[in-house]
Every structure is written in structure tokens, then in C-alpha cells.
Amino acid sequence: MSPNIHRDRILILDFGSQYTQLIARRIREIGVYCEIWAWDHDPAEITRYAARGIILSGGPESVLEADTPRIPPAVFELGVPILGICYGMQAMAAQLGGAVSAGREREFGYAAALPTGRCALLDGLAGDNEDPALDVWMSHGDRVDVVPPGFAVVAATQAVPVAAMADESRRWYGLQFHPEVTHTRMGDAILRRFVVQVCRCATLWTAELIIDDTVARVRAEVGSEQVLLGLSGGVDSSVVAALLHKAIGRQLLCIFVDTGLLRHREGAEVMGLFAEHMRVNVVRVDARERFLGALAGVVDPEQKRKIIGAQFIEVFEEAARRHGDIRWLAQGTIYPDVIESAGSKTGKAHVIKSHHNVGGLPERMRMQLVEPLRELFKDEVRRLGMALGLPHTMVYRHPFPGPGLGVRVLGEVTPAAVDVLARADHIYIEELRRAGLYDKVSQAFAVYLPCRSVGVVGDARAYEPVIALRAVETIDFMTAHWAHLPYEFLDLVARRIVNEVHGVSRVVYDISGKPPATIEWE
């Protein structure tokens, strides 16, 4: 029997920091399960959750202002270790009898934290006697001037008198800096000490144990009934397919809708991997003419998205009806979807997007959901994919929009334009892999521009479409820098596209960042 991988868990209360999900990912990487809840979550549920420890995130507010977030009193009554980070530390100080003031100078970036006392989280992590400072990352305005009763100052910087505080008897700690970011040199070690040594959590959150646990839960949930999955070939749906196939075998029915807007040879690759190699029960629906027909004459990108979404729902429903009364629908919902749709009941948390079901499937389908990735971050999904035997090229492929090439062909989507774009994009990605650059950029793709350019092909004048190449580097896809690919590489790709893809006269490279541009063109 597999161990209970959720037994030893950490609860993170979110005060609105841009780093909150990063805290959770760091804790998960250590091997300990954790969840993110809003700071104003029901105190009774916080108590019932029975966490081994509580982490209070940073946030953009000031504890010196009225009506800003506060730590629920129930947190202090749990008797478990607490770690406050940045705003979380300031709120601890303010609510437990210390003093917080508006900093005379804002501290943002690297700082040297000098140990001033003993602390289970920091002892032995700083440098040698000649340089005892700990390199940390600061991002704050307010500061703690006086620690609450029972606390001791255990680190300070040149700008702030309290960079860290500790109450060892109650196992409560506060850090003005951010241990979750890579800029804090020993940040991972600090978090590991908190969750493993102080909270005494076993490191059970591993890919292998997650798979075993998920397989057992799926089998218990669906029994002998069939499960339907819309397989797109993307990372999330591919991992769901592999996971459910391991759990229930032929009870899983995957429907792969070939929209005609996929990457070059993608349909054959998906069917080859899942249907032939893994023996997953997959039905391929060839709907290329249907989708391209519905898009004829349409140039507005939002209208294209709506048409593609509506067509997918119709095709998927029709295929599902042909296979009888299936009660379960599998989806690739991942943990950030859950977090971002939850928000906070007071509106303090920043809701990024509403949670969406696969393809926006209508309620009339009346199916119960199976969401085996619901607790996982994207990097965890990828690790599961590798552990399940999916190829690296599929698990670590770049993001691909739901509407596919329909929103990378600018203007009207025609069969000829899709064909040109798919082949140009294939050459670009092929050369990125060959040059060892694919995994060094976050996303790369080609775009078909709705304009023609004069060129010379052979000895003849040509007036053909233009292909734009895009490559970006980003951590969170909220902001991005254009990738500085080598000139020699871009020259090779451009020459291959013009020579091998009939109907292209010119290739350009997009050097726009986000902002002001978006990553996709439409």
C-alpha cells in the first residue's frame, strides 16, 4: 500500500504576492505537499486542514493602513510552526505586539543579511568568518523596528534592523527577504529546514508516489465505467491520457479531433504514440474540411477563436454520442487554474483568469469530471509525464494555442496558408532542436503574415507571403524578452524556409518584448 502523500502538508496563506505560487513550487520540489489558500479563508477550515506548518506570503499592501489583510487569529492558536515572509512577517510583528514603520528607504534587490543571533532556519548558512553575510533578495517598503515579545532579532541588513526574527519556543519565524526566489542564495535550504526539520514533514511528494496515489484514486472513483478524454496532443492532455491509461486501461476513450490547424505531421505523431505505441484507446476524427470551411472569409482573431471553439465542441459531442452513454469526462485542469479561479472573498487576491473546462464543454453533456492533475503545477505535470514514459519532446514542448495555427495565420485562414505556415514552423523548430536552442527558449513559433512581398526566386520575380519568426525567454509568460538567437542560425532558418517552402519570399524576426507586444500575434 502506498503511503498517504497528503499526510504531512503545509498551508500557504496568500496575501497577494507575485511569488506565492513560487513558494508552493519550492515546497513541492522539496517533496512536501502544500496548498495555497487566500488569507481570509474560513478560519474553521484552516483549523480542520491540520497542516504541519503555516507559511504567510508577502503582499503589496501595508500593515500600517486600515483594512489591509491580517492573519486570522486561528493561525496562532494551531500550535504549529509559522513562517512569515515579507508582508507575512510584518503582519506577525504588528499583530503580536511588535512595531512596524514605513521604511525611510525602499529596499529592492540584493542585500547582505548579517546573522545577529541563533536561529534553526539560518544557523550555518551564511559565509565564512571573513564574510558572514547571507545573500538575500529584498522587495519591501515597510520594515519591522521592534520584534514582538518572545522573538529575537536573528539577522539584519544595512538598511533594516530586522531582516529575520525567531521565536524558537513556539517555532515561529519571520523573514523580511524572499527565500523562494533563486536570488536568495540559500533560499531552498531555508525552506527545507522549515518544512523538514522544524515542521517534521516526510518528503513523500514524489512523481512515483503521486502516480501510485492518483491511479488508486481514479480506480476507486470511476470503478468499471468508461472515461472520455479530449486528447489534443498538448502536455496536459497527454499526461492525463497516459495516467488514466495506466489506471483503467481500455475503459479510457480518447477522442483526438484533427482540426487541420495542427503542427506539421502532429496528427500522425499523436496517433503513433498513443494508439500504436502505448495502445491507448484513441479515436481520430478528421474534421479538417469542417473547420477550414467554417473559417472561410473570417479575419477577426476573436471571431476565429469563437468559431474554432464552437466547432470543437460540436465535433467532440458528436463523436462522444457515437460511443454510448459515458458518465465520466477527464480534463487536464492543473493547480494554477484552481488557484487563479478561486480568488479571495474580499477581492484582495488578484484573479488572473476564470477556470475553464476543456473546450468550454456545455453543461448539457451532464458528465462527472475526473481531473487527475488538479493538484499539480506545470513542472510537476512534466515530471509525471517523464515518469510515465512519454517522450521528452512531447513533455517539454513549447506552449501551443488552443485554436492552433488558426491564430498564427493572420487574416483569413485558408488551406494554402495553413500548409505554408505548418511547413515553415516545422523547419524553424527542427533547426532549433538541431542547434540545441529549443530548450533554451521558452516559446518559439512561426507566423504567417497577411501581406505579400516582392522577391527574386531563381531568376524570376516573386510576389509571395511573408513568414515572421518569434522566440521569447520568460519565467511566467506574464512578461517576456525576445530571444537573442545567433545571426548564423536565423540566416540558416530563413534560407531553408524560402528554398523549401513554396510561396514564401521573405522571412523576418520579431524583436518585440512583452509588454508592449503579446507573445502570440493574435
Side-chain angles (χ1 to χ4, degrees):
M1 178 180 291
S2 298
N4 180 2
I5 61 176
H6 302 85
R7 182 194 67 202
D8 295 354
R9 53 195 181 185
I10 299 295
L11 180 60
I12 301 167
L13 294 184
D14 181 19
F15 289 86
S17 170
Q18 61 178 321
Y19 300 133
T20 301
Q21 288 194 32
L22 187 55
I23 298 171
R25 287 171 56 196
R26 294 287 181 260
I27 301 302
R28 300 276 190 93
E29 287 168 2
I30 291 167
V32 175
Y33 181 70
C34 62
E35 291 187 18
I36 298 172
W37 292 5
W39 63 269
D40 54 355
H41 198 92
D42 183 352
E45 290 190 17
I46 291 175
T47 300
R48 287 195 297 270
Y49 188 70
R52 292 269 189 170
I54 304 288
I55 296 179
L56 311 170
S57 85
E61 312 280 3
S62 170
V63 297
L64 301 175
E65 298 177 4
D67 301 322
T68 51
R70 292 294 184 267
I71 304 164
V75 168
F76 299 118
E77 298 166 4
L78 294 173
V80 300
I82 301 172
L83 172 60
I85 297 174
C86 198
Y87 183 92
M89 168 177 157
Q90 295 162 10
M92 287 176 71
Q95 291 177 235
L96 295 173
V100 178
S101 69
R104 287 180 289 276
E105 55 181 288
R106 178 174 170 81
E107 201 173 22
F108 182 83
Y110 282 109
L114 289 169
T116 59
R118 301 298 303 275
C119 170
L121 299 188
L122 304 180
D123 285 355
L125 295 184
D128 54 28
N129 292 331
E130 295 182 4
D131 182 18
L134 188 65
D135 293 334
V136 300
W137 183 260
M138 293 283 196
S139 178
H140 68 98
D142 296 348
R143 71 183 200 183
V144 175
D145 287 330
V146 180
V147 298
F151 282 83
V153 179
V154 294
T157 70
Q158 193 171 19
V160 297
V162 185
M165 64 183 191
D167 181 337
E168 294 287 7
S169 63
R170 289 183 287 188
R171 298 178 296 165
W172 292 356
Y173 305 90
L175 303 175
Q176 185 58 70
F177 56 88
H178 290 271
E180 68 274 22
V181 302
T182 56
H183 305 75
T184 294
R185 185 167 54 87
M186 299 300 290
D188 284 346
I190 294 169
L191 292 174
R192 176 175 288 276
R193 285 187 176 187
F194 179 71
V195 300
V196 176
Q197 296 180 21
V198 176
C199 299
R200 300 185 179 92
C201 292
T203 53
L204 301 174
W205 192 253
T206 65
E208 292 73 17
L209 290 179
I210 293 170
I211 291 170
D212 291 345
D213 180 77
T214 305
V215 165
R217 284 194 288 162
V218 168
R219 287 173 178 169
E221 187 175 20
V222 307
S224 60
E225 295 180 321
Q226 275 195 300
V227 177
L228 183 68
L229 170 66
L231 179 62
S232 68
V235 176
D236 297 338
S237 75
S238 296
V239 173
V240 170
L243 193 54
L244 292 181
H245 180 67
K246 181 179 179 66
I248 57 176
R250 300 296 290 181
Q251 290 172 237
L252 173 66
L253 172 62
C254 297
I255 295 178
F256 173 59
V257 179
D258 187 345
T259 63
L261 304 170
L262 304 174
R263 285 167 281 207
H264 186 60
R265 298 175 183 163
E266 185 167 23
E269 291 175 1
V270 170
M271 293 301 294
L273 173 64
F274 287 98
E276 298 171 23
H277 179 66
M278 297 181 65
R279 301 297 181 187
V280 176
N281 186 15
V282 185
V283 174
R284 180 176 183 172
V285 180
D286 187 348
R288 288 173 290 185
E289 291 186 7
R290 181 169 175 170
F291 276 81
L292 292 169
L295 290 168
V298 179
V299 297
D300 179 71
E302 201 55 38
Q303 191 178 356
K304 287 196 287 186
R305 288 180 181 272
K306 290 178 180 178
I307 290 171
I308 293 167
Q311 287 294 319
F312 179 85
I313 291 169
E314 289 181 14
V315 173
F316 187 84
E317 278 192 285
E318 291 168 7
R321 282 197 296 268
R322 287 196 292 270
H323 291 84
D325 183 21
I326 301 177
R327 291 185 50 207
W328 296 92
L329 176 68
Q331 292 191 165
T333 307
I334 62 175
Y335 194 44
D337 297 328
V338 178
I339 299 169
E340 292 162 0
S341 65
S344 164
K345 68 174 180 282
T346 60
K348 297 295 183 184
H350 300 282
V351 178
I352 299 170
K353 63 182 179 183
S354 297
H355 170 53
H356 55 282
N357 289 338
V358 172
L361 296 175
E363 292 183 3
R364 64 177 177 271
M365 291 193 75
R366 299 189 182 281
M367 302 173 80
Q368 297 183 66
L369 290 180
V370 179
E371 298 175 307
L373 308 182
R374 187 179 176 85
E375 295 178 337
L376 306 181
F377 287 102
K378 192 74 165 190
D379 50 342
E380 294 175 309
V381 173
R382 294 188 194 278
R383 286 198 290 273
L384 251 64
M386 294 301 294
L388 288 163
L390 293 177
H392 183 277
T393 53
M394 173 171 282
V395 172
Y396 285 92
R397 71 195 317 178
H398 293 171
F400 189 63
L405 299 182
V407 290
R408 289 182 178 171
V409 171
L410 275 57
E412 183 180 3
V413 181
T414 65
V418 170
D419 181 62
V420 166
L421 176 59
R423 288 188 290 139
D425 184 77
H426 175 70
I427 290 171
Y428 184 28
I429 300 304
E430 182 178 67
E431 290 298 341
L432 280 168
R433 292 191 187 280
R434 187 174 292 163
L437 295 169
Y438 185 84
D439 292 326
K440 294 181 180 180
V441 299
S442 306
Q443 188 173 3
F445 55 91
V447 180
Y448 182 100
L449 303 187
C451 60
R452 293 181 180 274
S453 167
V454 174
V456 178
V457 180
D459 292 324
R461 177 184 183 276
Y463 189 53
E464 304 287 4
V466 177
I467 291 293
L469 304 179
R470 180 83 158 133
V472 298
E473 296 173 351
T474 179
I475 295 174
D476 56 10
F477 287 88
M478 302 301 291
T479 61
H481 300 287
W482 62 276
H484 292 215
L485 298 178
Y487 292 149
E488 296 80 4
F489 170 81
L490 292 173
D491 176 60
L492 171 63
V493 173
R495 283 188 287 108
R496 276 201 63 191
I497 290 173
V498 171
N499 289 333
E500 297 175 30
V501 183
H502 178 72
V504 176
S505 64
R506 192 179 300 266
V507 176
V508 299
Y509 188 57
D510 182 354
I511 60 169
S512 309
K514 178 186 180 181
T518 54
I519 294 176
E520 296 283 350
W521 280 48
E522 284 193 344

